[in-house]
Amino acid sequence: MAQDINPMSKRQNPSEFLKQIVGKPVVVKLNSGVDYRGILSCLDGFMNIALEQTEEYQNGQLKNKYGDAFIRGNNVLYISTQKR
Amino acid sequence: MASTTVNPSSLLPLELVDKCIGSRIWVIMKNEKEIVGTLMGFDDYVNMVLEDVVEYETTAEGKRVTKLDTILLNGNHITMLVPGGEGPEV
């Protein structure tokens, strides 16, 4: 593809992104609108996710805290890093 | 029936998305949600990596949820992509 000649290739494909974010604090939003914030333990190509120190937010309100959480990938709307 | 000639330089959908890498893109989902961000990359399933993302939810009178950093958006619920789009009127 034409991207090979680009020296400043800032392109980041999903698989690369996933490798980079393991171990980082993330926000996982589900299709239902529920929000989970925690540290990403691992994930796979189906977007199945394992989180540590998870907080569950519903309508912006903290609802629950879980030590470990497993989220099935079909429910995931997006995964976001949260540097702030 | 008039014969239709195929334009050899016609653009494939995924090529159009590829051209959009580096610029803003407006993603409209199946439900009442829209996402605007800078396209960093995507895959064959049109899962997308977006940066500096703003999330718009309709029905709640244009409630906006601003997220920074980078997200991986699941391509399953994407309906439409608008390259260079600014998103819905706030």
Side-chain angles (χ1 to χ4, degrees):
Chain A
M1 283 230 151
Q3 288 288 327
D4 329 315
I5 30 176
N6 184 1
M8 274 270 287
S9 224
K10 289 201 295 179
R11 119 173 273 166
Q12 190 176 39
N13 289 331
S15 42
E16 292 165 37
F17 175 70
L18 294 179
K19 284 181 206 165
Q20 280 193 9
I21 60 171
V22 175
K24 301 221 165 65
V26 292
V27 179
V28 179
K29 186 142 190 175
L30 302 194
N31 298 323
S32 56
V34 184
D35 218 296
Y36 291 89
R37 291 167 195 244
I39 301 173
L40 187 60
S41 290
C42 53
L43 70 132
D44 64 13
F46 297 107
M47 289 204 192
N48 294 322
I49 293 169
L51 291 175
E52 274 174 5
Q53 293 168 41
T54 313
E55 294 172 341
E56 177 181 272
Y57 289 85
Q58 223 160 3
N59 303 321
Q61 295 269 2
L62 177 56
K63 284 279 191 160
N64 266 311
K65 289 189 184 176
Y66 306 105
D68 282 309
F70 171 81
I71 302 174
R72 200 175 189 280
N74 65 310
N75 297 297
V76 176
L77 177 66
Y78 64 65
I79 305 168
S80 170
T81 51
Q82 42 159 2
K83 285 203 183 136
R84 287 209 180 165
Chain B
M1 276 293 243
S3 60
T4 43
T5 48
V6 180
N7 183 357
S9 60
S10 57
L11 199 57
L12 291 173
L14 293 184
E15 283 174 16
L16 176 58
V17 183
D18 189 79
K19 282 191 162 194
C20 185
I21 290 181
S23 42
R24 291 302 268 181
I25 190 167
W26 175 13
V27 182
I28 300 173
M29 317 290 287
K30 276 187 208 169
N31 48 6
E32 293 295 306
K33 196 189 279 274
E34 298 164 27
I35 305 239
V36 179
T38 306
L39 181 59
M40 300 303 285
F42 66 101
D43 61 13
D44 288 340
Y45 304 100
V46 200
N47 295 316
M48 298 170 67
V49 182
L50 300 168
E51 217 170 57
D52 295 336
V53 174
V54 183
E55 194 180 328
Y56 294 92
E57 247 167 312
T58 331
T59 326
E61 292 157 12
K63 173 172 70 171
R64 184 206 301 187
V65 184
T66 312
K67 325 190 42 52
L68 256 62
D69 256 20
T70 318
I71 80 166
L72 171 60
L73 182 65
N74 194 336
N76 261 304
H77 294 82
I78 295 180
T79 297
M80 192 158 82
L81 303 175
V82 185
E86 275 308 312
E89 315 282 309
V90 173

